[in-house]
Amino acid sequence: MTQRKVPFLDMKSPYLELKAELDAAYQRVMDSGWYILGGEVKAFEQEYAAYCGARHCLGVGNGLEALHLILRGYGIGGGDEVIVPSNTYIATWLAVSYAGARPVPVEPDPHTYNLNPLRVEAAITPQTRAILPVHLYGQPADIDPLMELAGRHNLKVIEDAAQAQGTRYKGRQTGALGHAAGVSFYPGKNLGALGDAGAVLTDDDGLAEKIRMLRNYGSQVKYYNEFKGYNSRLDELQAAFLRAKLPHLEEWNQRRAKIAAYYLEHLAGLPDLTLPFAPEWCSPIWHIFPVLHPRRDELQKYLSGQGVDTLIHYPIPPHLSGAYADMQIPQGSFPLAEHLAACELSLPMGPHLSLEDAAYVVGVIRQFIDSSK
């Protein structure tokens, strides 16, 4: 094969495709002279809430703050426990810690890599206040059993939908499945801003009103602060960019699905390579295309040498990170999370990745595996 350069995610082409719309969005904000909590934020909140089928969308600074504000809005804090996946980006755990609560990790389903409902009930204690499933890699967690558990134990289900813009679970949109959801619009997401941005989704009128104040110094009326709040506001410029991109999200997700289908077909059956599994009840958006290989680091190095960029999601599970050393969780306590951290490799994926580039990636992987025989 002729060597070529395949980026993990093409960040420039989305701008080139939507240049006219994005430039117009920028000009619209500049012409308005209003940059914080104005018309663009309000319009995006309405449009994204409608897209997800939620009653409320509240723009905030980023996905971590979205989750933190939800927990604070529900009064979850010191002495409380929140069930989290053992395998996730550390932001999920940090949101719980920022609220003053304790993250309680639970292992994933070994096939989907999402929070395993069968393990959750055993982790519930009298201190448990919420379950925080992650729709990891753009595939929905199995929410219905978690909602049933939550109903029996008087808990909240808070979706971490940072990677799930457009993902559907049994035909329903993620972000509107639990009691509330935190969303990230980090630039690399399927719906990404051109900087940090996030949102809270909920049908809970009381929670929405609380977060509306929490994100803005605890204030409804300027200079009248009802409680100690935060400064976490989606700005007008990022809201305008997101409004320009939102109408294209479904098509871009379909393009990702075509690449995923190609990978699944042409990588099937290769020895030692585990491909992602999607249950029939879910419609993943393929934010990440994860594969597992026992010689992951060697495979990544080989791909890099052939011009293929990859990433690892994630190399260190939260319980083994320095950030949570104080919890004193020994290695081996969460073997599934540790296995994923040791073996997972994310292949190039995105709406602007060509089938030719995907075929090249497949060819390089096959070369590596053939050379290993």
Side-chain angles (χ1 to χ4, degrees):
M1 296 184 297
T2 302
Q3 184 165 331
R4 59 203 297 163
K5 180 67 176 174
V6 182
F8 176 72
L9 176 63
D10 183 348
M11 296 294 288
K12 187 175 181 180
S13 290
Y15 170 67
L16 296 177
E17 181 178 343
L18 301 184
K19 186 177 187 305
E21 293 102 313
L22 291 168
D23 288 354
Y26 164 82
Q27 197 61 58
R28 195 166 66 242
V29 173
M30 294 302 101
D31 289 343
S32 76
W34 192 289
Y35 307 117
I36 299 290
L37 295 182
E40 295 291 340
V41 169
K42 184 176 181 180
F44 175 70
E45 289 175 338
Q46 292 172 342
E47 291 160 7
Y48 196 65
Y51 172 77
C52 293
R55 188 178 299 152
H56 302 282
C57 172
L58 301 116
V60 298
N62 54 63
L64 168 56
E65 292 174 1
L67 294 173
H68 173 221
L69 292 176
I70 293 168
L71 292 164
R72 288 300 307 271
Y74 278 133
I76 296 172
D80 296 329
E81 294 178 350
V82 177
I83 293 174
V84 296
S86 59
N87 62 311
T88 182
Y89 185 52
I90 200 169
T92 312
W93 287 41
L94 289 175
V96 178
S97 299
Y98 287 174
R102 177 176 176 266
V104 176
V106 168
E107 288 272 73
D109 179 287
H111 303 292
T112 66
Y113 314 146
N114 273 319
L115 191 63
N116 189 340
L118 297 177
R119 293 176 179 264
V120 169
E121 187 161 22
I124 296 173
T125 74
Q127 287 73 46
T128 306
R129 293 286 307 282
I131 305 169
L132 213 171
V134 178
H135 302 306
L136 194 65
Y137 305 144
Q139 178 165 308
D142 194 0
I143 292 291
D144 284 351
L146 297 177
M147 289 295 288
E148 190 274 332
L149 270 177
R152 284 197 282 117
H153 294 274
N154 194 29
L155 308 176
K156 298 297 184 185
V157 173
I158 302 167
E159 302 170 67
D160 183 337
Q163 303 181 1
Q165 297 95 335
T167 302
R168 288 174 176 83
Y169 169 78
K170 299 181 180 179
R172 295 172 284 152
Q173 187 79 265
T174 54
L177 301 173
H179 297 99
V183 183
S184 169
F185 300 116
Y186 180 77
K189 306 301 186 186
N190 291 38
L191 179 62
L194 302 186
D196 274 322
V200 170
L201 294 165
T202 187
D203 286 343
D204 186 330
D205 296 340
L207 178 67
E209 190 58 33
K210 187 76 175 290
I211 289 176
R212 199 169 278 116
M213 292 187 285
L214 275 171
R215 72 177 176 180
N216 191 39
Y217 301 102
S219 173
Q220 279 184 311
V221 179
K222 195 170 185 178
Y223 302 130
Y224 291 83
N225 304 86
E226 299 181 33
F227 45 78
K228 297 181 182 72
Y230 304 87
N231 177 5
S232 180
R233 302 175 299 203
L234 175 64
D235 69 63
E236 285 287 284
L237 193 57
Q238 298 304 336
F241 291 147
L242 289 167
R243 292 186 69 201
K245 286 186 169 186
L246 180 57
H248 302 272
L249 177 58
E250 288 292 313
E251 180 194 347
W252 284 4
N253 283 346
Q254 289 170 12
R255 293 186 203 172
R256 286 173 177 266
K258 289 179 181 178
I259 297 296
Y262 185 90
Y263 281 153
L264 289 169
E265 178 182 355
H266 292 88
L267 292 174
L270 292 182
D272 295 327
L273 190 73
T274 302
L275 300 179
F277 167 76
E280 62 181 13
W281 43 255
C282 81
S283 301
I285 57 164
W286 304 106
H287 173 62
I288 300 295
F289 190 92
V291 299
L292 304 184
H293 195 278
R295 296 165 57 205
R296 186 269 312 284
D297 294 344
E298 293 176 50
L299 174 58
Q300 184 178 42
K301 183 177 180 181
Y302 189 87
L303 285 161
S304 178
Q306 300 300 315
V308 178
D309 292 340
T310 59
L311 289 176
I312 298 170
H313 294 87
Y314 301 95
I316 302 174
H319 72 279
L320 297 181
S321 69
Y324 285 95
D326 61 318
M327 293 183 70
Q328 298 183 329
I329 302 175
Q331 188 166 355
S333 299
F334 295 97
L336 284 175
E338 293 171 26
H339 173 68
L340 290 170
C343 298
E344 193 275 342
L345 187 66
S346 301
L347 303 185
M349 174 54 72
H352 298 88
L353 182 71
S354 68
L355 280 176
E356 291 75 17
D357 280 345
Y360 179 75
V361 173
V362 168
V364 174
I365 292 173
R366 286 182 169 275
Q367 282 182 350
F368 172 81
I369 291 177
D370 287 343
S371 69
S372 303
K373 293 178 180 177

